[in-house]
Amino acid sequence: MSKIEVCLTPALLDLYPIENSIVVVIDILRATSSITYGIENGAEAIIPVMNVEDCLAYADQGYLLAAERNGEVVAGYDFGNSPFSYTAEKVAGKTIVLTTTNGTKAMHLAQERAYQVVVGSFLNLSAVCDYLKKENKDVLLLCAGWKDNFNLEDTLFAGAVVEQLQGDFTVGDDSSVAALDMYQLAKGDLRGYLQKSSHNHRLIKLNIEEDVRFCLKIDVCKAIPVLQGEMLVALA
Amino acid sequence: MSKIEVCLTPALLDLYPIENSIVVVIDILRATSSITYGIENGAEAIIPVMNVEDCLAYADQGYLLAAERNGEVVAGYDFGNSPFSYTAEKVAGKTIVLTTTNGTKAMHLAQERAYQVVVGSFLNLSAVCDYLKKENKDVLLLCAGWKDNFNLEDTLFAGAVVEQLQGDFTVGDDSSVAALDMYQLAKGDLRGYLQKSSHNHRLIKLNIEEDVRFCLKIDVCKAIPVLQGEMLVALA
């Protein structure tokens, strides 16, 4: 039986052998949610980069540039990290360069060793789980976390995946058990549960309540973004 | 208001500024439980070391040497890591050198920067909490974990401390929230909850069920071991 494990932060990734694993990168607020929504809505590709400055390398290539700092769209860029910027009207057929510190770091670290790197979010939860069941390879759920540390929202999503896969996979580590229990405790009211998060005051300050609520919607997308080279594209 | 945070593994310790914090090192199965019990029972000092080989440096000093590998007392050593080796009859007035990989690493890492390093276990839960309330400094609960990764039993203890301190301290990070919720889910039957642990088969194999049950007893000790130099002694 294949195994499912949960890596709570990118700082712990070295502890996991992932050479034959599918790694699901999770950065619920908001990178992997926006990426999922963008690919669902027909974006040709999304290129995740670490910094606003890295975006500049892609200027003049006809790409949309999404750069945000402290919750504000950076002057001269097309839009920020809100999933509402990734509607079909805005992104269909386009390639987008997206700054996301935690998510990009997690994706690049995983890509160095993993069999495959895909993107998960509540928006495509069941699509991702169905794919993982079909592939039947070992799975590592990689929480992007917050500045290399644990966070609640990414762990909750990992727990949601464990809940769907536990019958078909061996639950391999203690963090999977914890993530599952936390999800089952929180799932009746995910937004309410996240009120307890240390980030909650940050989210309120950024005035992104609508974004947060959208990022917690389950199964509104079927697309699974997969990392190919530096680009995230729709899984064929 | 002082702050309480939970560091889920020693691999994440660098993320926490602890220069003015009391760090509580947690290695429930079995190092910090045995240490607590030994100090409670009158051991003069306990010296934690990483490896069986490190114990050798203390041979011929009249110390008791506790060394265990794969669950067996190493030939030529006085006893292993079972808390039942730390009775008054065996340890009163003695200094013990104890091998414990995860716990020693956590203590040494914390000692480099922390204001103070103390040892916590279910055995001295309320004594530790009362001390932390009295001191009213920032607190970091440092889970020794398992080979640098997350484990359930250390996190549950961290949650038990957060439960007692939450009215008097600011709960500072998402891992504190998670630890508290897990503890509240598990506290009715801690041993039953740990059946879900990935280590459970290891514990069964080691035939240390009695040790595990003892390590989950709450408040049977009043002693608080504190790290002074290389030695753990009773907090004055």
Side-chain angles (χ1 to χ4, degrees):
Chain A
M1 202 183 252
S2 296
K3 170 177 75 176
I4 184 162
E5 296 181 306
V6 174
C7 181
L8 294 172
T9 99
L12 301 177
L13 185 59
D14 284 348
L15 302 174
Y16 293 88
I18 52 172
E19 286 68 18
N20 296 305
S21 303
I22 300 176
V23 174
V24 182
V25 174
I26 304 162
D27 187 1
I28 296 301
L29 298 178
R30 298 168 287 173
T32 62
S33 302
S34 292
I35 290 165
T36 300
Y37 196 53
I39 295 294
E40 175 82 8
N41 286 327
E44 195 170 288
I46 297 178
I47 302 171
V49 298
M50 295 279 286
N51 307 305
V52 174
E53 291 69 26
D54 298 335
C55 260
L56 288 177
Y58 295 91
D60 307 319
Q61 295 190 33
Y63 297 160
L64 289 172
L65 303 184
E68 196 170 288
R69 190 151 273 179
N70 303 322
E72 305 280 342
V73 175
V74 177
Y77 289 77
D78 300 295
F79 45 81
N81 293 351
S82 167
F84 298 115
S85 296
Y86 293 77
T87 56
E89 192 178 44
K90 291 178 183 164
V91 303
K94 304 278 177 62
T95 292
I96 303 121
V97 183
L98 166 68
T99 56
T100 156
T101 310
N102 300 306
T104 301
K105 183 176 173 185
M107 283 181 232
H108 288 173
L109 277 174
Q111 191 175 30
E112 288 173 15
R113 293 193 287 125
Y115 168 76
Q116 187 178 58
V117 178
V118 301
V119 160
S121 67
F122 286 106
L123 303 178
N124 68 352
L125 168 62
S126 294
V128 167
C129 290
D130 291 346
Y131 173 69
L132 296 173
K133 283 184 203 167
K134 182 169 69 69
E135 292 295 302
N136 196 30
K137 293 183 74 73
D138 287 344
V139 170
L140 183 71
L141 305 173
L142 173 56
C143 300
W146 178 250
K147 296 185 177 176
D148 262 350
N149 211 339
F150 174 89
N151 80 17
L152 288 177
E153 64 272 17
D154 295 346
T155 307
L156 289 179
F157 175 76
V161 176
V162 174
E163 186 181 67
Q164 286 207 24
L165 297 190
Q166 60 181 334
D168 299 291
F169 288 72
T170 304
V171 175
D173 58 3
D174 279 13
S175 33
S176 305
V177 173
L180 175 60
D181 278 343
M182 285 169 58
Y183 179 65
Q184 292 185 329
L185 197 65
K187 69 180 178 181
D189 178 13
L190 288 172
R191 183 65 190 99
Y193 189 83
L194 291 178
Q195 304 286 356
K196 301 199 282 185
S197 162
S198 57
H199 307 308
N200 198 52
H201 67 281
R202 188 172 55 86
L203 300 179
I204 291 167
K205 204 167 137 206
L206 289 177
N207 198 22
I208 58 166
E209 182 62 26
E210 288 307 305
D211 284 14
V212 174
R213 291 190 180 275
F214 185 79
C215 293
L216 299 177
K217 283 183 191 286
I218 291 179
D219 290 343
V220 298
C221 297
K222 299 250 179 249
I224 302 174
V226 60
L227 195 57
Q228 289 188 352
E230 62 170 8
M231 292 194 175
L232 290 155
V233 298
L235 187 69
Chain B
M1 202 184 257
S2 297
K3 169 176 75 174
I4 183 162
E5 295 181 306
V6 174
C7 180
L8 294 173
T9 99
L12 301 177
L13 184 59
D14 283 350
L15 302 174
Y16 293 87
I18 53 172
E19 286 67 19
N20 296 306
S21 301
I22 300 176
V23 174
V24 181
V25 174
I26 304 162
D27 188 0
I28 297 300
L29 298 177
R30 297 166 288 173
T32 61
S33 302
S34 293
I35 291 165
T36 301
Y37 196 52
I39 295 294
E40 175 82 9
N41 286 327
E44 195 170 287
I46 297 178
I47 304 173
V49 298
M50 294 279 286
N51 307 305
V52 174
E53 292 69 26
D54 297 337
C55 260
L56 289 177
Y58 295 92
D60 307 319
Q61 296 191 32
Y63 297 161
L64 289 173
L65 303 184
E68 196 171 287
R69 189 151 277 178
N70 304 320
E72 306 281 341
V73 175
V74 177
Y77 288 77
D78 300 295
F79 46 81
N81 292 352
S82 166
F84 298 115
S85 296
Y86 294 76
T87 56
E89 194 179 43
K90 291 177 181 162
V91 304
K94 304 278 177 59
T95 291
I96 303 121
V97 183
L98 165 69
T99 56
T100 158
T101 311
N102 301 307
T104 301
K105 183 177 173 183
M107 282 181 231
H108 289 173
L109 278 173
Q111 190 174 32
E112 288 172 14
R113 291 192 288 126
Y115 169 75
Q116 187 179 58
V117 178
V118 301
V119 160
S121 66
F122 286 107
L123 304 177
N124 68 352
L125 168 62
S126 294
V128 167
C129 290
D130 291 347
Y131 174 69
L132 296 173
K133 283 184 204 168
K134 182 170 68 71
E135 292 296 301
N136 195 29
K137 293 184 72 75
D138 288 343
V139 171
L140 183 71
L141 305 173
L142 173 56
C143 300
W146 177 249
K147 296 184 178 177
D148 262 350
N149 210 339
F150 174 89
N151 78 19
L152 288 176
E153 64 272 17
D154 295 346
T155 308
L156 289 178
F157 176 76
V161 176
V162 174
E163 187 181 65
Q164 286 206 24
L165 297 191
Q166 60 182 333
D168 301 292
F169 287 72
T170 303
V171 175
D173 56 5
D174 278 13
S175 34
S176 304
V177 173
L180 175 59
D181 279 343
M182 286 170 57
Y183 179 65
Q184 292 185 328
L185 197 63
K187 68 180 177 181
D189 178 12
L190 287 173
R191 182 64 190 101
Y193 189 84
L194 290 179
Q195 303 287 357
K196 302 200 281 185
S197 163
S198 58
H199 308 308
N200 199 50
H201 67 281
R202 189 171 55 85
L203 301 178
I204 289 167
K205 205 167 134 206
L206 289 177
N207 197 22
I208 58 167
E209 183 60 28
E210 288 309 304
D211 283 15
V212 174
R213 290 190 181 276
F214 185 80
C215 292
L216 299 177
K217 283 183 190 288
I218 291 178
D219 289 344
V220 299
C221 298
K222 299 249 179 252
I224 302 174
V226 60
L227 195 58
Q228 287 187 353
E230 61 170 10
M231 293 192 174
L232 291 155
V233 299
L235 187 70

mmCIF file of all heavy atoms in Angstrom, chain A residues 178-209:
data_model
loop_
_atom_site.group_PDB
_atom_site.id
_atom_site.type_symbol
_atom_site.label_atom_id
_atom_site.label_comp_id
_atom_site.label_asym_id
_atom_site.label_seq_id
_atom_site.Cartn_x
_atom_site.Cartn_y
_atom_site.Cartn_z
ATOM 1 N N ALA A 178 -2.072 14.187 13.223
ATOM 2 C CA ALA A 178 -2.423 15.494 13.790
ATOM 3 C C ALA A 178 -3.232 16.316 12.797
ATOM 4 O O ALA A 178 -4.249 16.926 13.152
ATOM 5 C CB ALA A 178 -1.158 16.242 14.200
ATOM 6 N N ALA A 179 -2.799 16.326 11.542
ATOM 7 C CA ALA A 179 -3.501 17.123 10.526
ATOM 8 C C ALA A 179 -4.931 16.623 10.349
ATOM 9 O O ALA A 179 -5.875 17.432 10.269
ATOM 10 C CB ALA A 179 -2.741 17.059 9.201
ATOM 11 N N LEU A 180 -5.102 15.310 10.321
ATOM 12 C CA LEU A 180 -6.440 14.740 10.169
ATOM 13 C C LEU A 180 -7.333 15.130 11.340
ATOM 14 O O LEU A 180 -8.473 15.570 11.153
ATOM 15 C CB LEU A 180 -6.338 13.212 10.043
ATOM 16 C CG LEU A 180 -7.661 12.458 10.004
ATOM 17 C CD1 LEU A 180 -8.522 12.894 8.820
ATOM 18 C CD2 LEU A 180 -7.419 10.939 9.942
ATOM 19 N N ASP A 181 -6.822 14.994 12.552
ATOM 20 C CA ASP A 181 -7.626 15.336 13.725
ATOM 21 C C ASP A 181 -7.989 16.818 13.735
ATOM 22 O O ASP A 181 -9.109 17.192 14.090
ATOM 23 C CB ASP A 181 -6.879 14.972 15.008
ATOM 24 C CG ASP A 181 -7.034 13.488 15.331
ATOM 25 O OD1 ASP A 181 -7.951 12.851 14.772
ATOM 26 O OD2 ASP A 181 -6.243 12.976 16.125
ATOM 27 N N MET A 182 -7.049 17.656 13.366
ATOM 28 C CA MET A 182 -7.335 19.094 13.341
ATOM 29 C C MET A 182 -8.392 19.403 12.290
ATOM 30 O O MET A 182 -9.299 20.204 12.527
ATOM 31 C CB MET A 182 -6.062 19.884 13.059
ATOM 32 C CG MET A 182 -5.129 19.941 14.270
ATOM 33 S SD MET A 182 -3.524 20.604 13.802
ATOM 34 C CE MET A 182 -4.037 22.193 13.151
ATOM 35 N N TYR A 183 -8.282 18.765 11.132
ATOM 36 C CA TYR A 183 -9.271 19.020 10.085
ATOM 37 C C TYR A 183 -10.660 18.576 10.536
ATOM 38 O O TYR A 183 -11.647 19.292 10.327
ATOM 39 C CB TYR A 183 -8.892 18.322 8.783
ATOM 40 C CG TYR A 183 -9.914 18.539 7.700
ATOM 41 C CD1 TYR A 183 -10.143 19.820 7.188
ATOM 42 C CD2 TYR A 183 -10.681 17.490 7.213
ATOM 43 C CE1 TYR A 183 -11.101 20.043 6.223
ATOM 44 C CE2 TYR A 183 -11.649 17.707 6.236
ATOM 45 C CZ TYR A 183 -11.855 18.980 5.748
ATOM 46 O OH TYR A 183 -12.822 19.202 4.793
ATOM 47 N N GLN A 184 -10.713 17.418 11.162
ATOM 48 C CA GLN A 184 -12.030 16.930 11.570
ATOM 49 C C GLN A 184 -12.646 17.813 12.655
ATOM 50 O O GLN A 184 -13.860 17.961 12.741
ATOM 51 C CB GLN A 184 -11.919 15.462 11.980
ATOM 52 C CG GLN A 184 -11.604 14.619 10.722
ATOM 53 C CD GLN A 184 -11.576 13.116 10.927
ATOM 54 O OE1 GLN A 184 -11.229 12.653 12.003
ATOM 55 N NE2 GLN A 184 -11.926 12.369 9.888
ATOM 56 N N LEU A 185 -11.780 18.422 13.444
ATOM 57 C CA LEU A 185 -12.255 19.364 14.465
ATOM 58 C C LEU A 185 -12.750 20.660 13.816
ATOM 59 O O LEU A 185 -13.707 21.282 14.277
ATOM 60 C CB LEU A 185 -11.071 19.680 15.391
ATOM 61 C CG LEU A 185 -11.303 20.307 16.744
ATOM 62 C CD1 LEU A 185 -12.069 19.346 17.639
ATOM 63 C CD2 LEU A 185 -9.949 20.627 17.399
ATOM 64 N N ALA A 186 -12.100 21.055 12.737
ATOM 65 C CA ALA A 186 -12.325 22.392 12.152
ATOM 66 C C ALA A 186 -13.301 22.402 10.997
ATOM 67 O O ALA A 186 -13.843 23.453 10.648
ATOM 68 C CB ALA A 186 -10.985 22.957 11.669
ATOM 69 N N LYS A 187 -13.558 21.269 10.381
ATOM 70 C CA LYS A 187 -14.192 21.300 9.058
ATOM 71 C C LYS A 187 -15.615 21.834 9.056
ATOM 72 O O LYS A 187 -16.073 22.327 8.022
ATOM 73 C CB LYS A 187 -14.122 19.929 8.380
ATOM 74 C CG LYS A 187 -14.968 18.845 9.001
ATOM 75 C CD LYS A 187 -14.758 17.544 8.193
ATOM 76 C CE LYS A 187 -15.534 16.394 8.786
ATOM 77 N NZ LYS A 187 -15.321 15.136 8.031
ATOM 78 N N GLY A 188 -16.302 21.771 10.180
ATOM 79 C CA GLY A 188 -17.644 22.329 10.229
ATOM 80 C C GLY A 188 -17.646 23.835 10.024
ATOM 81 O O GLY A 188 -18.645 24.407 9.577
ATOM 82 N N ASP A 189 -16.544 24.489 10.337
ATOM 83 C CA ASP A 189 -16.455 25.945 10.211
ATOM 84 C C ASP A 189 -14.988 26.337 10.074
ATOM 85 O O ASP A 189 -14.366 26.820 11.025
ATOM 86 C CB ASP A 189 -17.082 26.613 11.436
ATOM 87 C CG ASP A 189 -16.983 28.138 11.383
ATOM 88 O OD1 ASP A 189 -16.656 28.697 10.309
ATOM 89 O OD2 ASP A 189 -17.240 28.775 12.430
ATOM 90 N N LEU A 190 -14.453 26.134 8.873
ATOM 91 C CA LEU A 190 -13.016 26.393 8.663
ATOM 92 C C LEU A 190 -12.656 27.841 8.977
ATOM 93 O O LEU A 190 -11.655 28.121 9.632
ATOM 94 C CB LEU A 190 -12.620 26.059 7.222
ATOM 95 C CG LEU A 190 -12.568 24.563 6.859
ATOM 96 C CD1 LEU A 190 -12.360 24.400 5.347
ATOM 97 C CD2 LEU A 190 -11.451 23.853 7.616
ATOM 98 N N ARG A 191 -13.481 28.778 8.515
ATOM 99 C CA ARG A 191 -13.158 30.192 8.752
ATOM 100 C C ARG A 191 -13.183 30.508 10.237
ATOM 101 O O ARG A 191 -12.325 31.236 10.747
ATOM 102 C CB ARG A 191 -14.116 31.111 7.987
ATOM 103 C CG ARG A 191 -13.773 32.596 8.143
ATOM 104 C CD ARG A 191 -12.426 32.914 7.512
ATOM 105 N NE ARG A 191 -11.925 34.253 7.809
ATOM 106 C CZ ARG A 191 -11.014 34.508 8.760
ATOM 107 N NH1 ARG A 191 -10.555 33.544 9.527
ATOM 108 N NH2 ARG A 191 -10.578 35.740 8.925
ATOM 109 N N GLY A 192 -14.158 29.948 10.927
ATOM 110 C CA GLY A 192 -14.248 30.159 12.370
ATOM 111 C C GLY A 192 -13.017 29.617 13.072
ATOM 112 O O GLY A 192 -12.447 30.262 13.957
ATOM 113 N N TYR A 193 -12.580 28.425 12.650
ATOM 114 C CA TYR A 193 -11.412 27.821 13.283
ATOM 115 C C TYR A 193 -10.189 28.715 13.100
ATOM 116 O O TYR A 193 -9.388 28.897 14.016
ATOM 117 C CB TYR A 193 -11.152 26.435 12.688
ATOM 118 C CG TYR A 193 -10.084 25.679 13.443
ATOM 119 C CD1 TYR A 193 -10.398 24.975 14.597
ATOM 120 C CD2 TYR A 193 -8.765 25.696 13.016
ATOM 121 C CE1 TYR A 193 -9.412 24.296 15.309
ATOM 122 C CE2 TYR A 193 -7.778 25.022 13.720
ATOM 123 C CZ TYR A 193 -8.103 24.327 14.863
ATOM 124 O OH TYR A 193 -7.127 23.668 15.569
ATOM 125 N N LEU A 194 -10.051 29.278 11.901
ATOM 126 C CA LEU A 194 -8.866 30.102 11.619
ATOM 127 C C LEU A 194 -8.877 31.445 12.350
ATOM 128 O O LEU A 194 -7.882 32.165 12.343
ATOM 129 C CB LEU A 194 -8.700 30.315 10.116
ATOM 130 C CG LEU A 194 -8.311 29.055 9.332
ATOM 131 C CD1 LEU A 194 -8.216 29.359 7.843
ATOM 132 C CD2 LEU A 194 -6.993 28.471 9.825
ATOM 133 N N GLN A 195 -9.992 31.778 12.985
ATOM 134 C CA GLN A 195 -9.974 32.961 13.865
ATOM 135 C C GLN A 195 -8.904 32.791 14.930
ATOM 136 O O GLN A 195 -8.391 33.759 15.476
ATOM 137 C CB GLN A 195 -11.313 33.150 14.602
ATOM 138 C CG GLN A 195 -12.546 33.246 13.732
ATOM 139 C CD GLN A 195 -12.683 34.552 12.998
ATOM 140 O OE1 GLN A 195 -11.879 35.453 13.190
ATOM 141 N NE2 GLN A 195 -13.685 34.653 12.134
ATOM 142 N N LYS A 196 -8.604 31.540 15.263
ATOM 143 C CA LYS A 196 -7.635 31.277 16.323
ATOM 144 C C LYS A 196 -6.205 31.430 15.837
ATOM 145 O O LYS A 196 -5.260 31.382 16.623
ATOM 146 C CB LYS A 196 -7.818 29.843 16.847
ATOM 147 C CG LYS A 196 -9.196 29.577 17.397
ATOM 148 C CD LYS A 196 -9.219 28.376 18.304
ATOM 149 C CE LYS A 196 -9.217 27.068 17.553
ATOM 150 N NZ LYS A 196 -9.358 25.902 18.471
ATOM 151 N N SER A 197 -6.051 31.577 14.515
ATOM 152 C CA SER A 197 -4.701 31.636 13.964
ATOM 153 C C SER A 197 -3.979 32.903 14.384
ATOM 154 O O SER A 197 -4.569 33.967 14.526
ATOM 155 C CB SER A 197 -4.782 31.597 12.442
ATOM 156 O OG SER A 197 -3.581 32.053 11.879
ATOM 157 N N SER A 198 -2.669 32.755 14.528
ATOM 158 C CA SER A 198 -1.838 33.921 14.835
ATOM 159 C C SER A 198 -1.844 34.915 13.679
ATOM 160 O O SER A 198 -1.480 36.071 13.840
ATOM 161 C CB SER A 198 -0.402 33.465 15.115
ATOM 162 O OG SER A 198 0.103 32.739 14.017
ATOM 163 N N HIS A 199 -2.226 34.436 12.484
ATOM 164 C CA HIS A 199 -2.264 35.330 11.323
ATOM 165 C C HIS A 199 -3.573 36.099 11.233
ATOM 166 O O HIS A 199 -3.720 36.935 10.357
ATOM 167 C CB HIS A 199 -2.135 34.541 10.019
ATOM 168 C CG HIS A 199 -0.964 33.643 10.003
ATOM 169 N ND1 HIS A 199 0.313 34.074 10.297
ATOM 170 C CD2 HIS A 199 -0.863 32.325 9.739
ATOM 171 C CE1 HIS A 199 1.138 33.047 10.218
ATOM 172 N NE2 HIS A 199 0.460 31.979 9.897
ATOM 173 N N ASN A 200 -4.521 35.750 12.084
ATOM 174 C CA ASN A 200 -5.845 36.314 11.866
ATOM 175 C C ASN A 200 -5.829 37.841 11.869
ATOM 176 O O ASN A 200 -6.458 38.468 11.027
ATOM 177 C CB ASN A 200 -6.840 35.803 12.909
ATOM 178 C CG ASN A 200 -8.272 36.007 12.463
ATOM 179 O OD1 ASN A 200 -8.628 35.603 11.359
ATOM 180 N ND2 ASN A 200 -9.075 36.653 13.288
ATOM 181 N N HIS A 201 -5.055 38.407 12.777
ATOM 182 C CA HIS A 201 -5.002 39.871 12.830
ATOM 183 C C HIS A 201 -4.359 40.428 11.561
ATOM 184 O O HIS A 201 -4.730 41.484 11.069
ATOM 185 C CB HIS A 201 -4.244 40.347 14.065
ATOM 186 C CG HIS A 201 -2.797 40.000 14.031
ATOM 187 N ND1 HIS A 201 -2.329 38.741 14.342
ATOM 188 C CD2 HIS A 201 -1.707 40.727 13.676
ATOM 189 C CE1 HIS A 201 -1.017 38.712 14.197
ATOM 190 N NE2 HIS A 201 -0.612 39.898 13.794
ATOM 191 N N ARG A 202 -3.408 39.659 11.009
ATOM 192 C CA ARG A 202 -2.760 40.076 9.763
ATOM 193 C C ARG A 202 -3.777 40.046 8.616
ATOM 194 O O ARG A 202 -3.847 40.964 7.801
ATOM 195 C CB ARG A 202 -1.572 39.151 9.467
ATOM 196 C CG ARG A 202 -0.701 39.569 8.307
ATOM 197 C CD ARG A 202 0.562 38.709 8.206
ATOM 198 N NE ARG A 202 0.284 37.279 8.132
ATOM 199 C CZ ARG A 202 0.021 36.623 6.995
ATOM 200 N NH1 ARG A 202 0.004 37.260 5.847
ATOM 201 N NH2 ARG A 202 -0.241 35.325 7.015
ATOM 202 N N LEU A 203 -4.562 39.004 8.581
ATOM 203 C CA LEU A 203 -5.568 38.883 7.516
ATOM 204 C C LEU A 203 -6.583 40.025 7.601
ATOM 205 O O LEU A 203 -6.975 40.610 6.591
ATOM 206 C CB LEU A 203 -6.299 37.540 7.623
ATOM 207 C CG LEU A 203 -5.409 36.292 7.510
ATOM 208 C CD1 LEU A 203 -6.249 35.030 7.662
ATOM 209 C CD2 LEU A 203 -4.645 36.278 6.190
ATOM 210 N N ILE A 204 -6.990 40.322 8.805
ATOM 211 C CA ILE A 204 -7.966 41.404 8.985
ATOM 212 C C ILE A 204 -7.373 42.735 8.538
ATOM 213 O O ILE A 204 -8.005 43.515 7.831
ATOM 214 C CB ILE A 204 -8.422 41.463 10.472
ATOM 215 C CG1 ILE A 204 -9.269 40.229 10.785
ATOM 216 C CG2 ILE A 204 -9.182 42.752 10.758
ATOM 217 C CD1 ILE A 204 -9.511 39.998 12.265
ATOM 218 N N LYS A 205 -6.128 42.931 8.913
ATOM 219 C CA LYS A 205 -5.438 44.172 8.569
ATOM 220 C C LYS A 205 -5.303 44.324 7.051
ATOM 221 O O LYS A 205 -5.401 45.429 6.503
ATOM 222 C CB LYS A 205 -4.055 44.160 9.232
ATOM 223 C CG LYS A 205 -3.441 45.512 9.473
ATOM 224 C CD LYS A 205 -2.250 45.360 10.413
ATOM 225 C CE LYS A 205 -1.077 46.185 9.937
ATOM 226 N NZ LYS A 205 0.205 45.645 10.394
ATOM 227 N N LEU A 206 -5.047 43.208 6.378
ATOM 228 C CA LEU A 206 -4.883 43.251 4.918
ATOM 229 C C LEU A 206 -6.216 43.431 4.202
ATOM 230 O O LEU A 206 -6.238 43.618 2.995
ATOM 231 C CB LEU A 206 -4.217 41.959 4.422
ATOM 232 C CG LEU A 206 -2.746 41.771 4.759
ATOM 233 C CD1 LEU A 206 -2.264 40.409 4.271
ATOM 234 C CD2 LEU A 206 -1.896 42.876 4.137
ATOM 235 N N ASN A 207 -7.291 43.320 4.980
ATOM 236 C CA ASN A 207 -8.617 43.505 4.382
ATOM 237 C C ASN A 207 -8.863 42.493 3.257
ATOM 238 O O ASN A 207 -9.315 42.845 2.178
ATOM 239 C CB ASN A 207 -8.733 44.953 3.871
ATOM 240 C CG ASN A 207 -10.184 45.334 3.650
ATOM 241 O OD1 ASN A 207 -11.083 44.733 4.235
ATOM 242 N ND2 ASN A 207 -10.406 46.326 2.805
ATOM 243 N N ILE A 208 -8.505 41.241 3.518
ATOM 244 C CA ILE A 208 -8.690 40.232 2.482
ATOM 245 C C ILE A 208 -9.683 39.149 2.919
ATOM 246 O O ILE A 208 -9.584 37.995 2.536
ATOM 247 C CB ILE A 208 -7.348 39.575 2.069
ATOM 248 C CG1 ILE A 208 -6.670 38.942 3.278
ATOM 249 C CG2 ILE A 208 -6.442 40.584 1.385
ATOM 250 C CD1 ILE A 208 -5.524 38.004 2.874
ATOM 251 N N GLU A 209 -10.651 39.560 3.723
ATOM 252 C CA GLU A 209 -11.629 38.590 4.220
ATOM 253 C C GLU A 209 -12.325 37.825 3.082
ATOM 254 O O GLU A 209 -12.521 36.617 3.165
ATOM 255 C CB GLU A 209 -12.665 39.298 5.106
ATOM 256 C CG GLU A 209 -13.699 38.388 5.724
ATOM 257 C CD GLU A 209 -13.111 37.327 6.675
ATOM 258 O OE1 GLU A 209 -12.027 37.570 7.245
ATOM 259 O OE2 GLU A 209 -13.721 36.260 6.805
#
